Amino acid sequence: MNTNELASRIETLEIRLMHQEASIEALTQTLLQQEQRSNVQSASIERLEAMIRSLSSTHDALPGEEPPPPHY
């Protein structure tokens, strides 16, 4: 193998490596964005669950135990 062939192969490998590094960086950025979205969605779900719990706890009383509506 002569020097030109070796240099050509090295250049090809370097180009492939650059493309792989760019792909990995793009995937990393996408993963970080997805993690941020997931965190926001988890927080929203927790807030909704708390709201549902608070609403269901106010409706757990028996009908005779509930105070009369304000217009009575």
Side-chain angles (χ1 to χ4, degrees):
M1 193 177 290
N2 65 26
T3 307
N4 287 337
E5 289 174 352
L6 186 59
S8 175
R9 289 183 69 189
I10 290 174
E11 183 179 344
T12 301
L13 289 172
E14 288 175 341
I15 291 170
R16 289 179 66 188
L17 178 63
M18 286 183 351
H19 287 293
Q20 287 177 352
E21 287 176 341
S23 295
I24 290 171
E25 181 61 29
L27 289 171
T28 300
Q29 292 302 319
T30 301
L31 181 60
L32 290 173
Q33 291 171 354
Q34 290 296 324
E35 183 179 15
Q36 290 173 345
R37 288 180 186 153
S38 177
N39 290 339
V40 169
Q41 290 173 347
S42 292
S44 296
I45 289 171
E46 288 176 12
R47 283 193 305 274
L48 289 171
E49 287 174 341
M51 289 173 60
I52 290 171
R53 272 190 240 103
S54 70
L55 289 174
S56 66
S57 67
T58 59
H59 294 337
D60 285 346
L62 296 174
E65 297 174 352
E66 291 182 10
H71 62 279
Y72 279 103

